[in-house]
Amino acid sequence: MSTTPEKPTSASFAALRGQLHEAAAEFAGGQDALEGILLGMVDDVDRAVAEPLEIFPVCHHSPASALAMARRLREKQPKVVYLELCEDMAPLLTELRNCRLPVAVQAFASEIDGFPPDWAPLSVVAPITEASAEYQAIAYALDTPGVELVLVDRSSDHVFQWDTRQPADGETHTAETEAEPAAAAASEAEPEAALHGEAVGVEIGDLRPRFAELEEHLLRHGKVRHWSEWWHQYVEVPLGDSDHDTYRQVMFLIGSLFRRLAPGRGERVRVDEDRERYMWTRMREHLAATGADPADCLYVCGAFHAASRVDEFGVHGTGDFAISPRTATTWQYGLIPSSHAAIEAQFGLASGSVSIAATEWAKNLKRTRVKPYRLEGQSGTKKPGARKTTAKPPVATPTPTPTPAPASDPASGPAEDRLTGFLRQPPVLHTLDEAELLGWSVDIVRAARRSGYLASTADAIAVFETSILLAAMRDRAKPTPYDFQDAAVTCIEKDTVPGRRDVRRLVEIMMGGDRIGQVGYDALPPLARDVHDRLAPLELNLQQRGVRRALLDMASRPELRACSDVLWMLRRLLPPGAARTVMGERRLGERSIQESWDLSLGTHQRALIELGYEGVSLEQVLEQRLRRTAYGPQATTAEVLAAVEDATLHLGGRRLADELGTRALEVLAGERTVDGAPAVLRRVRGLLAYYRTSEPVLPPWIESFVRAGYAHYCTLLPTAFRDEDATVGQVAAMLGFLFSMESLALSLGCDRTQLELAVAQSHPNDPAKTALLWAAQVQLGTLSRGELRGRCDELLGNPLVVPSYPRYLSGFVHALEPVPGLADVVVEAVSNAFGRLPDPVLLPWLPTLITTLRSNAADLAPLIVREAGRIFPARLAALDAWVPPWHAQPAARAPLAVPAPRGAALLPLHPETCDAVADLLGRTDGWAPADGPATGPSAPTGAALLFTHRTTCDAVADLLGSGDPWTPVAQDLPASSLTTRHPATARAVAALLATP
């Protein structure tokens, strides 16, 4: 590390140096590292105090820092305020007056250039609360004429330029990201903790020991549970009443201590030093450009950076730091709502510490009567009185005796040593405020009872006494909020939590609650304002947190259709809870006339604001996201088709849908797997149904998609049957695409022979895929239903195959997707299994069947249930006498196995009708006597028409799927004739002819 050369030390801290030298010699046994650390800390304080440009060290969200800042600003009245905050966030600070604190200043980039793609989106936030020194400086600078506010910290772009994403020396890679695991854990517990999302936090005054052993030592000897409690007890409270010089020197000392005890020389230390070089370089550039006097300036930074030892430190620094240019990334800026829980989660603070700090801030203002700075028109604060517009002149008169001595001017001479007196003074013993503690005890019991705890007055007394006891055990005369919290948990919570919140959380709420900020309408980006304007007809206050119910009756109020369009786009773009539909749906070709919505845009204001960084209207953002999805490197055909459907639903028109459809065709041509086949089939069917009903002709892209998809899946079909990674559902979806789109594909020029060859080349090993192949062969006509039933019987008759029979059934169930006409065969296969298998085989086999069907074919099971309901009797009493149709079929064929079918008996019963038909056909044959096995008193010779008109007979046979050979008329009709193979049809015709 490069440091400035040692300079002669001033006499201001000579006494303190001597005491530390003696302490080091006594406790460390002579000159060693301890003396170097202790004396180096004093040198750091001396150097920072002597700097001509006054440095004001702060701690993030510290009431003591905010109080000291308000006092110093009114005393010094600086003309330039340098603030440790990202320099590119300066234009946003004027919008703070339109918000209710706490809020966070955000820089956001969704499209990045110069960073790894997997880092996107980039987000940087800087939370601001009223009880923070930075807000006091901002309010003073913005509302005081003639004061300039200059942000000097690295830009948001440099935050990620210096982020290597590689931990070094066991440290977290950047100071800002160390609390990300805590933020992730807290976001799961409380929704308010996730208001910052996955943003990187930029914090002013990161004062926390980076040496784990040091922090553990401080917590153990301080008798506290976490760092926030230690800071409140040993720094926050003592500094609340100190003067300006004492405050500065103590903060310099703490910053130097944590800096010198920071372990290693890793990436985090390098980033800290680069930040300090960056800030001092910017300040010197501004002083040189404006000619401002350093005595009229104030530099607000974290105490850790105030004790810097880089060459660039001070207005007379010798270093020459080169600031790298920004990348080509386009950054968007805005304000997002924040909360105490979000700040605690992101920066690793104890739960409730920010709320307790806000309460302490209010108490300090009331106790000290210090008038804080607030932005004029600030939402959520009291209106300030009339403020003079002229700058207040410096105080020249001596201060009264009760007030602290005026702050020393660094340029006037050496600073007075205030550290020695502060370090040697005994702890301040605050008297017990019984009224305050009693009020806390009563309030927590009341809150606990509302949350379901069986708390009573006795518990309030116990909490009161236990708080005093715990404070005494920890050497405190007055219980702190943390002591009271521990006492409440001990006395009230017992061993169960009846409600959603535990007692610790109830105490946090009671101490100030998790205040949640809100960004005002004027500070919103154009897109967010446009959303609120377009939803104005709903007459709801959508900026408030919570759920609002919106009822839309488009039949009586047609103007609400525009609101419905906005809500459906918000449902597509925002998180699930922002816009949730209760009634109504929007599908291809369907629009609801009444809708009901639960809206919580105020709760999800951050998501709506970040949406505004992507465009100026919802339509533009949705189109950009759809294009990004479709043209992404990992885009699949199903995702692109989903984008086509969303474009049709929400944007209307054909331009974008046709463009994305063409992109889907390109993606399909490049796919070599069938992972997305089910989704592709579902999407294409829906789009085809929509275009066929709403468009005069199909779009060219979908015709090309069907034609290319037919050839594509035919090519992949044999491989998919053999591939172990391809599931039976995916193969069934391929066949469903081929069979359902076959007529359209053939009309567009595809060849059915390609599908037949693909099926013939398929040789699966998996039982489920084998059953699926059999179903495809039935659909193509290469396998008859009788042969399929015979194969199922063979499977049940083979003891070695019975254990895998459920997998065959799974394949048959999936076959209902491409061949829904096989539902009766599937029902027959299941019924035969239950009827033929003995209980010792069936009972172990049954759970496998149920789990297989449930996991692999849950969507197709309703088809089987409906088919079974059609086949099986509806009454339980009829079940005993019921005979399955596949068993009764041979008995039904017996009467038809005669030379003449049953319907032929109708011919002699209705001779006039038969003669009329014969006359129409030009036949003059007479009636023949009924000799032989004929079924009537006489048989017409018109049966010879079958042989006379062979072409017609062949056409009918082809339609009925019969391949029976021709037989002479004189012979008996064979058992394989059409009437024999289709007895139900013969009986139906007979019934029609017999009807008078």
Side-chain angles (χ1 to χ4, degrees):
M1 179 180 64
S2 176
T3 61
T4 57
E6 297 294 337
K7 62 180 181 179
T9 59
S10 64
S12 301
F13 300 94
L16 181 59
R17 286 189 177 91
Q19 294 177 11
L20 293 177
H21 178 79
E22 295 175 0
E26 179 180 355
F27 293 103
Q31 301 287 337
D32 60 359
L34 176 59
E35 182 180 2
I37 292 175
L38 295 179
L39 298 181
M41 291 164 53
V42 180
D43 293 339
D44 292 340
V45 175
D46 192 6
R47 183 188 185 200
V49 171
E51 172 60 35
L53 175 58
E54 181 178 344
I55 304 174
F56 194 95
V58 300
C59 177
H60 195 50
H61 302 302
S62 168
S65 296
L67 193 66
M69 174 63 72
R71 286 172 175 168
R72 186 55 178 165
L73 290 174
R74 295 196 181 277
E75 292 174 359
K76 183 179 179 65
Q77 293 289 317
K79 297 180 181 179
V80 179
V81 177
Y82 297 112
L83 184 61
E84 179 193 341
L85 193 63
C86 294
E87 58 184 2
D88 53 339
M89 294 181 176
L92 291 174
L93 300 182
T94 57
E95 297 293 339
L96 288 175
R97 66 180 76 252
N98 298 319
C99 306
R100 185 176 69 243
L101 300 181
V103 296
V105 186
Q106 183 184 39
F108 187 89
S110 57
E111 298 180 0
I112 62 177
D113 185 0
F115 299 106
D118 57 339
W119 288 15
L122 306 179
S123 180
V124 180
V125 297
I128 298 176
T129 63
E130 187 178 358
S132 59
E134 56 265 30
Y135 176 73
Q136 295 298 309
I138 292 172
Y140 163 78
L142 294 182
D143 283 350
T144 304
V147 177
E148 184 179 3
L149 178 65
V150 182
L151 306 186
V152 294
D153 199 1
R154 54 182 175 165
S155 66
S156 304
D157 196 271
H158 286 89
V159 171
F160 290 95
Q161 283 189 34
W162 298 351
D163 183 3
T164 60
R165 297 291 170 102
Q166 294 179 357
D169 298 336
E171 300 180 19
T172 308
H173 52 274
T174 57
E176 290 80 8
T177 57
E178 65 176 347
E180 288 181 1
S187 62
E188 298 177 358
E190 293 289 342
E192 293 81 3
L195 288 179
H196 294 173
E198 299 297 328
V200 172
V202 175
E203 155 179 34
I204 299 178
D206 178 19
L207 277 186
R208 184 167 186 168
R210 299 181 181 176
F211 192 27
E213 289 78 3
L214 173 61
E215 181 172 348
E216 182 183 356
H217 176 82
L218 294 175
L219 297 183
R220 183 175 65 255
H221 290 274
K223 299 180 180 180
V224 294
R225 291 176 290 112
H226 46 71
W227 174 250
S228 299
E229 185 177 359
W230 186 93
W231 180 266
H232 172 86
Q233 177 67 23
Y234 295 99
V235 180
E236 191 72 37
V237 175
L239 285 181
D241 296 327
S242 62
D243 59 274
H244 175 65
D245 288 339
T246 304
Y247 168 82
R248 290 182 68 210
Q249 293 177 21
V250 171
M251 293 294 287
F252 287 146
L253 184 68
I254 296 175
S256 176
L257 172 65
F258 292 164
R259 187 183 190 94
R260 288 182 176 273
L261 293 182
R265 296 290 306 154
E267 187 69 22
R268 184 174 180 181
V269 176
R270 183 193 65 80
V271 171
D272 288 332
E273 293 178 350
D274 285 347
R275 290 180 64 186
E276 293 155 6
R277 296 186 177 98
Y278 193 107
M279 290 187 285
W280 281 110
T281 301
R282 289 303 192 198
M283 284 186 284
R284 288 202 300 269
E285 290 176 354
H286 182 268
L287 291 173
T290 60
D293 186 359
D296 296 332
C297 303
L298 186 68
Y299 171 36
V300 182
C301 68
F304 187 90
H305 299 294
S308 174
R309 291 171 287 164
V310 297
D311 293 342
E312 289 80 3
F313 179 86
V315 295
H316 302 298
T318 59
D320 187 12
F321 181 69
I323 299 177
S324 60
R326 302 182 186 180
T327 65
T329 299
T330 302
W331 289 89
Q332 304 289 337
Y333 302 92
L335 297 171
I336 62 173
S338 183
S339 67
H340 292 171
I343 297 173
E344 294 160 359
Q346 188 163 36
F347 297 108
L349 303 177
S351 178
S353 59
V354 179
S355 298
I356 294 175
T359 304
E360 191 73 17
W361 162 252
K363 290 171 58 178
N364 288 345
L365 292 181
K366 185 177 181 180
R367 177 174 52 84
T368 60
R369 299 185 181 277
V370 173
K371 186 177 181 181
Y373 287 94
R374 290 188 177 95
L375 290 171
E376 293 186 1
Q378 182 75 62
S379 176
T381 60
K382 297 180 180 179
K383 295 183 179 180
R387 180 177 299 176
K388 296 181 181 180
T389 57
T390 58
K392 182 180 178 181
V395 179
T397 59
T399 57
T401 303
T403 59
S408 60
D409 187 357
S412 62
E416 181 182 354
D417 178 14
R418 300 295 180 88
L419 276 177
T420 303
F422 181 84
L423 296 176
R424 296 180 63 179
Q425 71 181 5
V428 179
L429 298 178
H430 296 276
T431 59
L432 173 63
D433 189 349
E434 294 187 0
E436 181 186 50
L437 183 58
L438 185 60
W440 287 355
S441 303
V442 173
D443 290 341
I444 189 58
V445 169
R446 182 185 299 113
R449 294 182 64 178
R450 286 197 300 264
S451 297
Y453 290 90
L454 299 177
S456 62
T457 305
D459 293 313
I461 298 174
V463 172
F464 181 88
E465 298 295 341
T466 306
S467 300
I468 299 175
L469 177 62
L470 288 176
M473 294 172 60
R474 296 165 179 173
D475 297 332
R476 303 168 188 169
K478 179 182 178 181
T480 65
Y482 298 99
D483 298 327
F484 172 76
Q485 189 179 56
D486 293 341
V489 172
T490 302
C491 299
I492 297 177
E493 189 166 294
K494 307 298 188 301
D495 58 346
T496 58
V497 179
R500 185 171 65 94
R501 297 185 176 97
D502 56 11
V503 174
R504 190 175 303 277
R505 179 62 178 155
L506 293 177
V507 173
E508 296 170 6
I509 296 174
M510 188 193 72
M511 287 293 176
D514 184 15
R515 298 180 186 176
I516 302 174
Q518 184 183 53
V519 180
Y521 176 84
D522 295 331
L524 292 173
L527 181 143
R529 292 199 300 268
D530 179 63
V531 168
H532 286 285
D533 293 341
R534 295 168 69 176
L535 296 179
L538 299 179
E539 300 178 357
L540 297 174
N541 187 2
L542 297 179
Q543 285 202 329
Q544 288 185 353
R545 294 182 61 85
V547 179
R548 299 289 183 272
R549 177 63 59 87
L551 302 176
L552 285 71
D553 186 2
M554 278 80 76
S556 59
R557 297 182 59 187
E559 67 273 11
L560 294 181
R561 294 189 180 276
C563 296
S564 175
D565 296 338
V566 173
L567 293 178
W568 283 108
M569 284 188 286
L570 290 176
R571 182 176 180 268
R572 171 64 173 76
L573 296 173
L574 292 182
R580 185 175 62 87
T581 176
V582 178
M583 180 185 69
E585 60 181 358
R586 174 163 292 192
R587 298 179 181 176
L588 291 174
E590 298 181 6
R591 293 293 187 274
S592 302
I593 60 175
Q594 289 183 338
E595 295 176 354
S596 178
W597 292 81
D598 280 345
L599 305 177
S600 56
L601 299 183
T603 304
H604 295 82
Q605 193 177 47
R606 178 186 66 86
L608 182 61
I609 291 173
E610 290 183 351
L611 205 63
Y613 299 154
E614 303 182 39
V616 296
S617 65
L618 289 176
E619 289 79 3
Q620 179 187 3
V621 174
L622 180 58
E623 181 173 345
Q624 290 177 354
R625 289 196 178 184
L626 293 178
R627 290 181 185 274
R628 192 180 304 120
T629 300
Y631 290 93
Q634 304 298 328
T636 62
T637 306
E639 293 174 348
V640 180
L641 290 177
V644 174
E645 185 175 341
D646 289 339
T648 305
L649 281 176
H650 304 300
L651 299 179
R654 289 272 301 274
R655 176 187 57 84
L656 182 60
D658 291 350
E659 177 185 345
L660 298 181
T662 305
R663 171 61 180 169
L665 184 61
E666 299 173 359
V667 175
L668 177 67
E671 287 186 347
R672 293 297 178 265
T673 63
V674 296
D675 296 342
V680 170
L681 174 62
R682 184 175 64 256
R683 300 289 183 184
V684 170
R685 280 179 175 175
L687 290 170
L688 269 176
Y690 169 74
Y691 287 130
R692 282 171 172 168
T693 56
S694 61
E695 301 287 343
V697 294
L698 291 177
W701 75 265
I702 201 168
E703 292 183 351
S704 301
F705 187 89
V706 172
R707 184 168 54 249
Y710 189 87
H712 178 74
Y713 285 133
C714 283
T715 303
L716 295 180
L717 190 61
T719 305
F721 268 112
R722 298 280 297 184
D723 189 4
E724 295 180 356
D725 295 332
T727 64
V728 63
Q730 295 169 354
V731 180
M734 294 175 59
L735 292 173
F737 184 95
L738 295 172
F739 289 146
S740 60
M741 307 291 171
E742 185 178 13
S743 58
L744 178 59
L746 294 180
S747 66
L748 296 175
C750 294
D751 189 359
R752 193 171 191 265
T753 306
Q754 187 177 7
L755 175 59
E756 294 175 350
L757 292 176
V759 173
Q761 295 172 358
S762 301
H763 304 287
N765 296 324
D766 183 69
K769 293 181 181 179
T770 301
L772 191 60
L773 178 62
W774 293 346
Q777 292 173 348
V778 171
Q779 179 70 14
L780 292 175
T782 58
L783 183 69
S784 64
R785 287 174 172 258
E787 293 174 340
L788 179 61
R789 288 187 173 94
R791 292 183 180 182
C792 293
D793 292 338
E794 293 178 1
L795 294 176
L796 285 176
N798 189 345
L800 299 178
V801 182
V802 168
S804 62
Y805 192 72
R807 301 179 62 186
Y808 284 95
L809 290 181
S810 176
F812 284 130
V813 174
H814 279 97
L816 297 180
E817 179 74 44
V819 190
L822 285 180
D824 57 335
V825 178
V826 177
V827 173
E828 178 182 347
V830 176
S831 301
N832 287 338
F834 280 88
R836 293 176 53 180
L837 295 179
D839 290 345
V841 177
L842 183 62
L843 293 180
W845 174 78
L846 187 59
T848 306
L849 172 64
I850 296 175
T851 55
T852 302
L853 295 180
R854 183 176 182 179
S855 60
N856 298 332
D859 297 337
L860 299 172
L863 293 176
I864 307 175
V865 175
R866 287 195 297 268
E867 183 65 21
R870 187 185 66 83
I871 296 176
F872 289 92
R875 300 284 182 180
L876 182 60
L879 187 60
D880 294 335
W882 177 74
V883 178
W886 50 86
H887 290 168
Q889 189 171 359
R893 285 198 298 263
L896 299 175
V898 293
R902 176 187 171 192
L906 295 172
L907 300 179
L909 296 178
H910 302 278
E912 297 83 359
T913 304
C914 186
D915 292 341
V917 172
D919 292 340
L920 288 174
L921 296 177
R923 300 294 298 186
T924 58
D925 304 331
W927 289 82
D931 52 352
T935 58
S938 59
T941 57
L945 287 173
L946 299 177
F947 297 91
T948 306
H949 303 279
R950 289 177 174 267
T951 304
T952 303
C953 188
D954 291 340
V956 174
D958 291 339
L959 289 175
L960 296 177
S962 176
D964 305 329
W966 283 85
T967 56
V969 181
Q971 297 178 0
D972 295 341
L973 292 177
S976 60
S977 62
L978 287 176
T979 54
T980 303
R981 291 177 57 83
H982 302 281
T985 304
R987 288 194 294 271
V989 174
L992 289 174
L993 295 176
T995 302

